[in-house]
Amino acid sequence: SQTIHQWPATLVQPVGSPLSLECTVEGTSNPNLYWYRQAAGRGLQLLFYSVGIGQISSEVPQNLSASRPQDRQFILSSKKLLLSDSGFYLCAWRGGHTGEYEQYFGPGTRLTVT
Amino acid sequence: GDSVTQMEGPVTLSEEAFLTINCTYTATGYPSLFWYVQYPGEGLQLLLKATKADDKGSNKGFEATYRKETTSFHLEKGSVQVSDSAVYFCALISSGSARQLTFGSGTQLTVLP
């Protein structure tokens, strides 16, 4: 069966510091991968998605970036965090085959920028 | 573009009460529809789905029917439990959205004993 991991689970970082969040998927190959952010009490915002290694699409211009160095690894980064970057970050995957549209989410990383 | 509208929360019910969370959508083509649930401090879990008109998705006592004529996908449960307390998200994927999920804003449900 497929599983998705995210780490760290929680993170407290000062403004201006760098960020690296990691997501890995097991039990599938060539998945589509997604990064979402969920601000407190609000819905989900799609940040990035990737259909393959090195292929990243950005949905919202901001100081975050994403990379996919391996088939089942997706990384969210920032060079300098802002207070507004605080939130709950969720990674998700879905199969790359036609007809497989539902996405499966990881446990999330709660980021607090102080 | 695609959009999903959910009833405003929070919703507070007593245990064993009947639950309805309304969801309507606007989409191009023939979307697939989903309900996700998020328990406190956790990621989202797929609760149920329906991929074509008149399909009924069901799981853990929850049901939702894909109504194309009313563009709706309301979530229902006949008897809620305290453990159902969570945030519920309605979502869709349509043929015109590059297969990306479009989420509603979420509805917070609290079930009291």
Side-chain angles (χ1 to χ4, degrees):
Chain A
S1 65
Q2 301 87 2
T3 55
I4 179 169
H5 304 279
Q6 287 186 245
W7 63 89
T10 60
L11 191 60
V12 180
Q13 292 283 98
V15 168
S17 63
L19 173 73
S20 181
L21 304 181
E22 189 165 345
C23 170
T24 59
V25 181
E26 297 177 355
T28 186
S29 59
N30 196 30
N32 288 2
L33 297 172
Y34 304 84
W35 278 113
Y36 292 87
R37 177 168 60 201
Q38 186 177 32
R42 303 183 70 175
L44 288 90
Q45 178 186 34
L46 178 63
L47 301 175
F48 301 95
Y49 70 93
S50 171
V51 299
I53 296 174
Q55 301 178 62
I56 309 295
S57 296
S58 174
E59 291 294 301
V60 183
Q62 56 209 325
N63 69 318
L64 299 173
S65 62
S67 61
R68 184 169 177 176
Q70 300 181 45
D71 181 45
R72 289 168 288 178
Q73 184 184 32
F74 205 24
I75 297 172
L76 182 69
S77 303
S78 174
K79 292 182 179 178
K80 289 185 177 182
L81 283 168
L82 306 173
L83 284 174
S84 58
D85 291 325
S86 292
F88 193 44
Y89 288 82
L90 291 160
C91 182
W93 73 275
R94 75 167 176 88
H97 301 293
T98 300
E100 297 179 1
Y101 301 134
E102 55 266 35
Q103 293 179 18
Y104 299 94
F105 287 78
T109 295
R110 186 160 303 283
L111 171 66
T112 303
V113 182
T114 59
Chain B
D2 299 341
S3 67
V4 177
T5 302
Q6 288 183 235
M7 65 185 292
E8 291 290 327
V11 174
T12 303
L13 296 173
S14 298
E15 203 164 25
E16 300 183 2
F18 184 85
L19 168 70
T20 300
I21 299 178
N22 290 338
C23 170
T24 57
Y25 66 88
T26 302
T28 55
Y30 300 94
S32 294
L33 302 173
F34 308 88
W35 276 101
Y36 283 84
V37 58
Q38 184 178 31
Y39 298 102
E42 299 183 8
L44 276 70
Q45 299 178 24
L46 179 63
L47 182 60
L48 54 83
K49 68 176 182 179
T51 58
K52 61 183 187 296
D54 300 325
D55 268 1
K56 177 185 284 188
S58 61
N59 186 25
K60 300 180 180 180
F62 291 90
E63 294 184 338
T65 301
Y66 187 161
R67 300 289 188 196
K68 188 169 177 61
E69 63 276 14
T70 54
T71 61
S72 64
F73 193 54
H74 304 323
L75 183 68
E76 297 182 336
K77 186 174 185 181
S79 177
V80 293
Q81 305 300 311
V82 173
S83 57
D84 294 326
S85 298
V87 181
Y88 292 81
F89 291 92
C90 186
L92 69 83
I93 290 179
S94 73
S95 58
S97 66
R99 304 304 184 186
Q100 307 305 342
L101 272 174
T102 298
F103 284 93
S105 56
T107 301
Q108 172 75 55
L109 170 66
T110 301
V111 181
L112 302 176

